[in-house]
Amino acid sequence: MLKALFPRRGLVVEKVSGPDAFGHISAVVTKYHRHHEATVGWMWGLMAWRNGDLVGVGVVGHATARILMQRGILEVTRVCTFSRKRFGAASAIYRAASEAAGIAPIITYTLASEAGTSIIEAGWHDEGVCGGGKWNRGCQTPDHLTGKKRRWCDRKR
């Protein structure tokens, strides 16, 4: 376990890896995420627990953009919270991802329509609006994912 991030609330975030953990987190993301399915791969995952109940998961991998990956930047590719006990879990997952990444900068993206409140609460910085369009020429990208994105980073670069 990384540490009790909100000990008064009983919230703990655990860093996990391995195929069993990946399968479990992928199933949770597929079932509960608003607009994404599970990722194809990862470096490690994060599981948020409140008083023994799983309330959220996160997936950390290499940056999706090749140029950022070449610079050693990591990316939180999925965060998914659920249950009535989830209050503060998303912020805790982002904070734990930053701690687990060590010295490597870590980024994430939100849809331009999303406020990013959990990310702000975790202390991350808004790097502005970027991207948009199809991911590659051969895939069928869902329409709601082709718009502009907002990039966030855990530290000032």
Side-chain angles (χ1 to χ4, degrees), residues 117-142:
T117 306
S118 297
I119 303 168
I120 293 167
E121 185 67 29
W124 289 37
H125 305 282
D126 183 354
E127 292 192 334
V129 176
C130 60
K134 301 257 182 208
W135 293 327
N136 66 41
R137 294 178 196 183
C139 77
Q140 295 295 322
T141 307

PDB file of all heavy atoms in Angstrom, residues 117-142:
ATOM      1  N   THR A 117     -11.941  18.540 -11.693  1.00  0.00           N
ATOM      2  CA  THR A 117     -11.919  18.892 -10.274  1.00  0.00           C
ATOM      3  C   THR A 117     -11.042  17.949  -9.460  1.00  0.00           C
ATOM      4  O   THR A 117     -10.270  18.394  -8.606  1.00  0.00           O
ATOM      5  CB  THR A 117     -13.356  18.890  -9.712  1.00  0.00           C
ATOM      6  OG1 THR A 117     -14.150  19.755 -10.528  1.00  0.00           O
ATOM      7  CG2 THR A 117     -13.395  19.353  -8.276  1.00  0.00           C
ATOM      8  N   SER A 118     -11.132  16.659  -9.708  1.00  0.00           N
ATOM      9  CA  SER A 118     -10.326  15.687  -8.964  1.00  0.00           C
ATOM     10  C   SER A 118      -8.839  15.874  -9.228  1.00  0.00           C
ATOM     11  O   SER A 118      -8.010  15.706  -8.328  1.00  0.00           O
ATOM     12  CB  SER A 118     -10.720  14.259  -9.339  1.00  0.00           C
ATOM     13  OG  SER A 118     -12.052  14.010  -8.992  1.00  0.00           O
ATOM     14  N   ILE A 119      -8.510  16.233 -10.455  1.00  0.00           N
ATOM     15  CA  ILE A 119      -7.109  16.427 -10.828  1.00  0.00           C
ATOM     16  C   ILE A 119      -6.566  17.692 -10.165  1.00  0.00           C
ATOM     17  O   ILE A 119      -5.443  17.705  -9.662  1.00  0.00           O
ATOM     18  CB  ILE A 119      -6.966  16.481 -12.352  1.00  0.00           C
ATOM     19  CG1 ILE A 119      -7.527  15.188 -12.963  1.00  0.00           C
ATOM     20  CG2 ILE A 119      -5.524  16.672 -12.764  1.00  0.00           C
ATOM     21  CD1 ILE A 119      -7.712  15.240 -14.445  1.00  0.00           C
ATOM     22  N   ILE A 120      -7.349  18.735 -10.138  1.00  0.00           N
ATOM     23  CA  ILE A 120      -6.951  19.980  -9.474  1.00  0.00           C
ATOM     24  C   ILE A 120      -6.759  19.722  -7.986  1.00  0.00           C
ATOM     25  O   ILE A 120      -5.788  20.175  -7.381  1.00  0.00           O
ATOM     26  CB  ILE A 120      -8.005  21.080  -9.718  1.00  0.00           C
ATOM     27  CG1 ILE A 120      -8.035  21.471 -11.196  1.00  0.00           C
ATOM     28  CG2 ILE A 120      -7.741  22.298  -8.835  1.00  0.00           C
ATOM     29  CD1 ILE A 120      -9.232  22.310 -11.595  1.00  0.00           C
ATOM     30  N   GLU A 121      -7.685  18.970  -7.396  1.00  0.00           N
ATOM     31  CA  GLU A 121      -7.607  18.637  -5.975  1.00  0.00           C
ATOM     32  C   GLU A 121      -6.344  17.846  -5.653  1.00  0.00           C
ATOM     33  O   GLU A 121      -5.788  17.955  -4.562  1.00  0.00           O
ATOM     34  CB  GLU A 121      -8.847  17.832  -5.559  1.00  0.00           C
ATOM     35  CG  GLU A 121      -8.940  17.519  -4.098  1.00  0.00           C
ATOM     36  CD  GLU A 121      -9.158  18.741  -3.227  1.00  0.00           C
ATOM     37  OE1 GLU A 121      -9.749  19.717  -3.698  1.00  0.00           O
ATOM     38  OE2 GLU A 121      -8.712  18.711  -2.063  1.00  0.00           O
ATOM     39  N   ALA A 122      -5.864  17.060  -6.606  1.00  0.00           N
ATOM     40  CA  ALA A 122      -4.643  16.279  -6.409  1.00  0.00           C
ATOM     41  C   ALA A 122      -3.389  17.134  -6.546  1.00  0.00           C
ATOM     42  O   ALA A 122      -2.276  16.657  -6.306  1.00  0.00           O
ATOM     43  CB  ALA A 122      -4.602  15.125  -7.402  1.00  0.00           C
ATOM     44  N   GLY A 123      -3.542  18.400  -6.963  1.00  0.00           N
ATOM     45  CA  GLY A 123      -2.398  19.302  -7.074  1.00  0.00           C
ATOM     46  C   GLY A 123      -1.744  19.309  -8.443  1.00  0.00           C
ATOM     47  O   GLY A 123      -0.639  19.819  -8.595  1.00  0.00           O
ATOM     48  N   TRP A 124      -2.390  18.768  -9.453  1.00  0.00           N
ATOM     49  CA  TRP A 124      -1.835  18.750 -10.795  1.00  0.00           C
ATOM     50  C   TRP A 124      -2.062  20.099 -11.470  1.00  0.00           C
ATOM     51  O   TRP A 124      -2.892  20.881 -11.052  1.00  0.00           O
ATOM     52  CB  TRP A 124      -2.465  17.631 -11.606  1.00  0.00           C
ATOM     53  CG  TRP A 124      -2.031  16.256 -11.181  1.00  0.00           C
ATOM     54  CD1 TRP A 124      -1.788  15.830  -9.908  1.00  0.00           C
ATOM     55  CD2 TRP A 124      -1.812  15.131 -12.012  1.00  0.00           C
ATOM     56  NE1 TRP A 124      -1.441  14.509  -9.911  1.00  0.00           N
ATOM     57  CE2 TRP A 124      -1.445  14.051 -11.195  1.00  0.00           C
ATOM     58  CE3 TRP A 124      -1.898  14.928 -13.385  1.00  0.00           C
ATOM     59  CZ2 TRP A 124      -1.151  12.788 -11.703  1.00  0.00           C
ATOM     60  CZ3 TRP A 124      -1.615  13.667 -13.891  1.00  0.00           C
ATOM     61  CH2 TRP A 124      -1.238  12.616 -13.054  1.00  0.00           C
ATOM     62  N   HIS A 125      -1.322  20.352 -12.548  1.00  0.00           N
ATOM     63  CA  HIS A 125      -1.361  21.640 -13.235  1.00  0.00           C
ATOM     64  C   HIS A 125      -1.972  21.499 -14.629  1.00  0.00           C
ATOM     65  O   HIS A 125      -1.662  20.564 -15.365  1.00  0.00           O
ATOM     66  CB  HIS A 125       0.051  22.220 -13.363  1.00  0.00           C
ATOM     67  CG  HIS A 125       0.743  22.326 -12.051  1.00  0.00           C
ATOM     68  ND1 HIS A 125       0.477  23.330 -11.160  1.00  0.00           N
ATOM     69  CD2 HIS A 125       1.664  21.528 -11.462  1.00  0.00           C
ATOM     70  CE1 HIS A 125       1.219  23.158 -10.080  1.00  0.00           C
ATOM     71  NE2 HIS A 125       1.931  22.068 -10.235  1.00  0.00           N
ATOM     72  N   ASP A 126      -2.795  22.456 -14.996  1.00  0.00           N
ATOM     73  CA  ASP A 126      -3.442  22.500 -16.302  1.00  0.00           C
ATOM     74  C   ASP A 126      -2.424  22.981 -17.330  1.00  0.00           C
ATOM     75  O   ASP A 126      -1.868  24.069 -17.200  1.00  0.00           O
ATOM     76  CB  ASP A 126      -4.642  23.445 -16.238  1.00  0.00           C
ATOM     77  CG  ASP A 126      -5.434  23.504 -17.522  1.00  0.00           C
ATOM     78  OD1 ASP A 126      -5.005  22.906 -18.529  1.00  0.00           O
ATOM     79  OD2 ASP A 126      -6.490  24.152 -17.514  1.00  0.00           O
ATOM     80  N   GLU A 127      -2.162  22.172 -18.359  1.00  0.00           N
ATOM     81  CA  GLU A 127      -1.231  22.554 -19.420  1.00  0.00           C
ATOM     82  C   GLU A 127      -1.945  23.077 -20.662  1.00  0.00           C
ATOM     83  O   GLU A 127      -1.313  23.343 -21.664  1.00  0.00           O
ATOM     84  CB  GLU A 127      -0.323  21.377 -19.788  1.00  0.00           C
ATOM     85  CG  GLU A 127       0.633  21.018 -18.672  1.00  0.00           C
ATOM     86  CD  GLU A 127       1.710  20.057 -19.116  1.00  0.00           C
ATOM     87  OE1 GLU A 127       1.497  19.290 -20.080  1.00  0.00           O
ATOM     88  OE2 GLU A 127       2.769  20.069 -18.495  1.00  0.00           O
ATOM     89  N   GLY A 128      -3.267  23.183 -20.589  1.00  0.00           N
ATOM     90  CA  GLY A 128      -4.023  23.761 -21.685  1.00  0.00           C
ATOM     91  C   GLY A 128      -4.683  22.728 -22.585  1.00  0.00           C
ATOM     92  O   GLY A 128      -4.537  21.531 -22.411  1.00  0.00           O
ATOM     93  N   VAL A 129      -5.384  23.243 -23.574  1.00  0.00           N
ATOM     94  CA  VAL A 129      -6.122  22.408 -24.514  1.00  0.00           C
ATOM     95  C   VAL A 129      -5.181  21.977 -25.631  1.00  0.00           C
ATOM     96  O   VAL A 129      -4.352  22.753 -26.099  1.00  0.00           O
ATOM     97  CB  VAL A 129      -7.334  23.187 -25.082  1.00  0.00           C
ATOM     98  CG1 VAL A 129      -8.053  22.379 -26.139  1.00  0.00           C
ATOM     99  CG2 VAL A 129      -8.284  23.555 -23.946  1.00  0.00           C
ATOM    100  N   CYS A 130      -5.310  20.725 -26.037  1.00  0.00           N
ATOM    101  CA  CYS A 130      -4.435  20.197 -27.088  1.00  0.00           C
ATOM    102  C   CYS A 130      -5.151  19.083 -27.841  1.00  0.00           C
ATOM    103  O   CYS A 130      -6.222  18.643 -27.450  1.00  0.00           O
ATOM    104  CB  CYS A 130      -3.137  19.670 -26.479  1.00  0.00           C
ATOM    105  SG  CYS A 130      -3.402  18.357 -25.287  1.00  0.00           S
ATOM    106  N   GLY A 131      -4.523  18.612 -28.887  1.00  0.00           N
ATOM    107  CA  GLY A 131      -4.964  17.413 -29.599  1.00  0.00           C
ATOM    108  C   GLY A 131      -6.311  17.521 -30.266  1.00  0.00           C
ATOM    109  O   GLY A 131      -6.765  18.586 -30.655  1.00  0.00           O
ATOM    110  N   GLY A 132      -6.933  16.370 -30.372  1.00  0.00           N
ATOM    111  CA  GLY A 132      -8.201  16.259 -31.066  1.00  0.00           C
ATOM    112  C   GLY A 132      -8.031  15.470 -32.349  1.00  0.00           C
ATOM    113  O   GLY A 132      -6.921  15.175 -32.775  1.00  0.00           O
ATOM    114  N   GLY A 133      -9.105  15.093 -32.940  1.00  0.00           N
ATOM    115  CA  GLY A 133      -9.066  14.337 -34.188  1.00  0.00           C
ATOM    116  C   GLY A 133      -8.987  12.844 -33.954  1.00  0.00           C
ATOM    117  O   GLY A 133      -9.074  12.362 -32.832  1.00  0.00           O
ATOM    118  N   LYS A 134      -8.819  12.099 -35.032  1.00  0.00           N
ATOM    119  CA  LYS A 134      -8.749  10.639 -34.965  1.00  0.00           C
ATOM    120  C   LYS A 134      -7.383  10.215 -34.441  1.00  0.00           C
ATOM    121  O   LYS A 134      -6.381  10.888 -34.659  1.00  0.00           O
ATOM    122  CB  LYS A 134      -8.981  10.030 -36.343  1.00  0.00           C
ATOM    123  CG  LYS A 134     -10.324  10.412 -36.932  1.00  0.00           C
ATOM    124  CD  LYS A 134     -11.269   9.282 -36.803  1.00  0.00           C
ATOM    125  CE  LYS A 134     -12.597   9.666 -37.443  1.00  0.00           C
ATOM    126  NZ  LYS A 134     -13.697   8.996 -36.867  1.00  0.00           N
ATOM    127  N   TRP A 135      -7.346   9.045 -33.780  1.00  0.00           N
ATOM    128  CA  TRP A 135      -6.083   8.558 -33.226  1.00  0.00           C
ATOM    129  C   TRP A 135      -5.157   8.046 -34.317  1.00  0.00           C
ATOM    130  O   TRP A 135      -3.961   8.225 -34.267  1.00  0.00           O
ATOM    131  CB  TRP A 135      -6.347   7.452 -32.213  1.00  0.00           C
ATOM    132  CG  TRP A 135      -7.049   7.949 -31.006  1.00  0.00           C
ATOM    133  CD1 TRP A 135      -6.920   9.190 -30.435  1.00  0.00           C
ATOM    134  CD2 TRP A 135      -7.999   7.263 -30.222  1.00  0.00           C
ATOM    135  NE1 TRP A 135      -7.732   9.295 -29.351  1.00  0.00           N
ATOM    136  CE2 TRP A 135      -8.406   8.118 -29.193  1.00  0.00           C
ATOM    137  CE3 TRP A 135      -8.554   5.998 -30.289  1.00  0.00           C
ATOM    138  CZ2 TRP A 135      -9.338   7.749 -28.237  1.00  0.00           C
ATOM    139  CZ3 TRP A 135      -9.465   5.632 -29.340  1.00  0.00           C
ATOM    140  CH2 TRP A 135      -9.849   6.500 -28.329  1.00  0.00           C
ATOM    141  N   ASN A 136      -5.696   7.359 -35.297  1.00  0.00           N
ATOM    142  CA  ASN A 136      -4.911   6.963 -36.464  1.00  0.00           C
ATOM    143  C   ASN A 136      -5.869   6.780 -37.632  1.00  0.00           C
ATOM    144  O   ASN A 136      -7.074   6.798 -37.463  1.00  0.00           O
ATOM    145  CB  ASN A 136      -4.069   5.706 -36.190  1.00  0.00           C
ATOM    146  CG  ASN A 136      -4.914   4.473 -35.955  1.00  0.00           C
ATOM    147  OD1 ASN A 136      -5.911   4.240 -36.633  1.00  0.00           O
ATOM    148  ND2 ASN A 136      -4.512   3.675 -34.993  1.00  0.00           N
ATOM    149  N   ARG A 137      -5.344   6.590 -38.786  1.00  0.00           N
ATOM    150  CA  ARG A 137      -6.196   6.577 -39.970  1.00  0.00           C
ATOM    151  C   ARG A 137      -7.045   5.319 -40.097  1.00  0.00           C
ATOM    152  O   ARG A 137      -8.056   5.325 -40.757  1.00  0.00           O
ATOM    153  CB  ARG A 137      -5.330   6.731 -41.208  1.00  0.00           C
ATOM    154  CG  ARG A 137      -4.692   8.084 -41.247  1.00  0.00           C
ATOM    155  CD  ARG A 137      -3.809   8.220 -42.436  1.00  0.00           C
ATOM    156  NE  ARG A 137      -2.951   9.367 -42.209  1.00  0.00           N
ATOM    157  CZ  ARG A 137      -2.097   9.808 -43.068  1.00  0.00           C
ATOM    158  NH1 ARG A 137      -1.953   9.213 -44.214  1.00  0.00           N
ATOM    159  NH2 ARG A 137      -1.365  10.851 -42.789  1.00  0.00           N
ATOM    160  N   GLY A 138      -6.626   4.226 -39.499  1.00  0.00           N
ATOM    161  CA  GLY A 138      -7.326   2.966 -39.700  1.00  0.00           C
ATOM    162  C   GLY A 138      -8.374   2.624 -38.664  1.00  0.00           C
ATOM    163  O   GLY A 138      -9.109   1.674 -38.824  1.00  0.00           O
ATOM    164  N   CYS A 139      -8.477   3.365 -37.588  1.00  0.00           N
ATOM    165  CA  CYS A 139      -9.405   2.964 -36.529  1.00  0.00           C
ATOM    166  C   CYS A 139     -10.704   3.750 -36.582  1.00  0.00           C
ATOM    167  O   CYS A 139     -10.776   4.811 -37.179  1.00  0.00           O
ATOM    168  CB  CYS A 139      -8.764   3.104 -35.159  1.00  0.00           C
ATOM    169  SG  CYS A 139      -8.683   4.795 -34.554  1.00  0.00           S
ATOM    170  N   GLN A 140     -11.693   3.217 -35.948  1.00  0.00           N
ATOM    171  CA  GLN A 140     -12.992   3.871 -35.832  1.00  0.00           C
ATOM    172  C   GLN A 140     -13.072   4.536 -34.462  1.00  0.00           C
ATOM    173  O   GLN A 140     -13.504   3.917 -33.499  1.00  0.00           O
ATOM    174  CB  GLN A 140     -14.116   2.839 -36.005  1.00  0.00           C
ATOM    175  CG  GLN A 140     -14.166   2.215 -37.379  1.00  0.00           C
ATOM    176  CD  GLN A 140     -14.511   3.238 -38.447  1.00  0.00           C
ATOM    177  OE1 GLN A 140     -15.331   4.117 -38.240  1.00  0.00           O
ATOM    178  NE2 GLN A 140     -13.870   3.128 -39.593  1.00  0.00           N
ATOM    179  N   THR A 141     -12.611   5.754 -34.340  1.00  0.00           N
ATOM    180  CA  THR A 141     -12.634   6.476 -33.079  1.00  0.00           C
ATOM    181  C   THR A 141     -14.042   6.991 -32.806  1.00  0.00           C
ATOM    182  O   THR A 141     -14.631   7.643 -33.660  1.00  0.00           O
ATOM    183  CB  THR A 141     -11.646   7.665 -33.117  1.00  0.00           C
ATOM    184  OG1 THR A 141     -10.367   7.180 -33.505  1.00  0.00           O
ATOM    185  CG2 THR A 141     -11.554   8.330 -31.763  1.00  0.00           C
ATOM    186  N   PRO A 142     -14.582   6.716 -31.612  1.00  0.00           N
ATOM    187  CA  PRO A 142     -15.914   7.239 -31.288  1.00  0.00           C
ATOM    188  C   PRO A 142     -15.934   8.770 -31.365  1.00  0.00           C
ATOM    189  O   PRO A 142     -14.965   9.432 -31.003  1.00  0.00           O
ATOM    190  CB  PRO A 142     -16.135   6.769 -29.849  1.00  0.00           C
ATOM    191  CG  PRO A 142     -15.206   5.624 -29.666  1.00  0.00           C
ATOM    192  CD  PRO A 142     -14.024   5.904 -30.548  1.00  0.00           C
TER     193      PRO A 142
END
